[in-house]
Amino acid sequence: EKGISSVFVEPAGSDTDQRASGLGILTERDILRAISSESEAAFAAPISRFATFPLVTVGAEEFVYRAISIMAHKKFRHLGVCDTEGRLVGALSARDLLRQRASHAVLLGHSLEQADSTVELGRIWSDLTKVVRGLVFEEVDPRAIAAVVSRELRALTRRACELGEAELERRGEGGPPQPYAMMVLGSGGRGESMLAMDQDNAIIFDRGEPGGEADRWFEKLGILVADALNEAGVIYCPGGIMASRPEWRLDVAGWRKRIESWISKARPEDLLNSDIFFDALPVYGQRGLAESL
């Protein structure tokens, strides 16, 4: 009736708040396979026998090439679309994306997320120039190109953070001692990064004094992330705006005090710090910590 190639499926007894995390998907191919294997008996079977759980989704504000990358990597043709609260707001199929040309960007996005070393991160990151060159050739608005560069900088930072966590585990330092979020600040958070960029990042964690046990763990993580980004080609921030520095690595209470000081004193350096900080976007960890701040 609707002329569509898939439906989303609620598990039995589920609520109806449309949270995508609890949903599944049934596609026309699933139905054809069911009929092929079970003949007419398939028509009387419950949908749950042939649906796939959980539904894989993409954010409504995400770039199209990222959706193509997810489909290509996972070898399927449908995605749910979610808002920032994780609520289902739409659907996307390979047919919708058929005319999009995004080969270099697709490969970059997928490869960054699969990189297993800082050396590989650097090799993949060097391909960003090809992505930008292709977008310029297509006469894409420069602001949109900067937004793509920023998106991939955030992906690079997230992967560096994942690799940093794994390295600390390997060294016997354990996992994160507190819930935390890694944030990208400045132009990277604002969506205005250029190819010749430096890193601006910060960590917020739940609680812990400067120099305490939790802070020392996050210092090690911040150093690993900064080193990985620098090796990849995103150089150390000349102004020291990096989570490896104690002033950019605080718990929730510490950040609230720091921001209150910036706003109340309003010295030139305070205004600069505020300007850089309030472009922050969380890229890894407990996003709620950063968003509440």
Side-chain angles (χ1 to χ4, degrees):
E1 289 178 357
K2 300 291 185 183
I4 57 178
S5 56
S6 65
V7 291
F8 299 139
V9 182
E10 292 181 354
S14 70
D15 54 30
T16 57
D17 71 350
Q18 295 299 300
R19 295 279 173 178
S21 58
L23 300 178
I25 187 171
L26 183 77
T27 71
E28 58 187 358
R29 290 188 174 189
D30 295 328
I31 293 173
L32 289 173
R33 280 193 289 265
I35 296 171
S36 175
S37 63
E38 301 193 15
S39 191
E40 290 186 8
F43 292 107
I47 286 173
S48 59
R49 276 187 53 193
F50 308 114
T52 300
F53 292 88
L55 174 66
V56 176
T57 62
V58 64
E61 300 302 316
E62 188 57 276
F63 289 111
V64 166
Y65 72 85
R66 279 278 170 172
I68 298 173
S69 177
I70 293 170
M71 287 185 183
H73 172 53
K74 295 186 177 292
K75 294 183 173 57
F76 53 53
R77 303 168 59 83
H78 301 84
L79 290 173
V81 181
C82 292
D83 64 13
T84 55
E85 302 298 320
R87 290 185 294 262
L88 186 69
V89 294
L92 196 62
S93 75
R95 291 174 186 170
D96 300 323
L97 304 177
L98 196 57
R99 296 181 181 176
Q100 303 300 320
R101 292 171 291 182
S103 57
H104 285 310
V106 168
L107 292 172
L108 176 70
H110 169 58
S111 299
L112 274 179
E113 290 165 358
Q114 301 301 312
D116 57 10
S117 69
T118 56
V119 172
E120 191 175 359
L121 278 180
R123 180 185 59 76
I124 297 164
W125 186 248
S126 66
D127 287 338
L128 183 62
T129 54
K130 296 178 185 175
V131 175
V132 172
R133 187 181 299 117
L135 295 172
V136 171
F137 180 78
E138 295 282 352
E139 298 184 344
V140 174
D141 188 303
R143 290 167 295 187
I145 296 175
V148 168
V149 174
S150 300
R151 168 63 178 83
E152 295 311 322
L153 170 63
R154 296 194 293 271
L156 177 70
T157 305
R158 179 172 64 250
R159 187 58 182 153
C161 212
E162 291 170 342
L163 293 174
E165 277 194 6
E167 174 63 17
L168 289 173
E169 288 271 14
R170 189 187 67 78
R171 293 180 186 177
E173 303 276 358
Q178 292 282 325
Y180 81 100
M182 173 67 76
M183 301 176 286
V184 169
L185 317 178
S187 59
R190 197 167 58 245
E192 295 180 350
S193 293
M194 302 298 183
L195 284 175
M197 68 184 79
D198 60 81
Q199 49 185 286
D200 292 323
N201 54 65
I203 284 177
I204 177 172
F205 56 97
D206 192 27
R207 60 173 63 91
E209 294 298 318
E213 181 181 351
D215 182 50
R216 291 195 301 273
W217 191 93
F218 289 116
E219 178 184 16
K220 294 170 186 173
L221 178 65
I223 290 170
L224 287 171
V225 170
D227 290 347
L229 292 175
N230 185 68
E231 289 175 29
V234 183
I235 64 171
Y236 298 121
C237 175
I241 302 170
M242 298 174 290
S244 56
R245 301 289 186 91
E247 60 269 30
W248 295 98
R249 185 187 67 249
L250 298 165
D251 69 357
V252 174
W255 271 117
R256 291 188 181 278
K257 263 185 216 179
R258 178 65 51 79
I259 293 169
E260 183 180 6
S261 172
W262 287 342
I263 293 171
S264 60
K265 293 180 180 177
R267 299 168 300 184
E269 60 268 31
D270 296 323
L271 296 176
L272 177 62
N273 287 334
S274 297
D275 182 51
I276 292 168
F277 179 81
F278 281 107
D279 289 320
L281 279 181
V283 298
Y284 185 71
Q286 301 293 317
R287 299 176 63 92
L289 283 174
E291 288 166 354
S292 65
L293 178 64

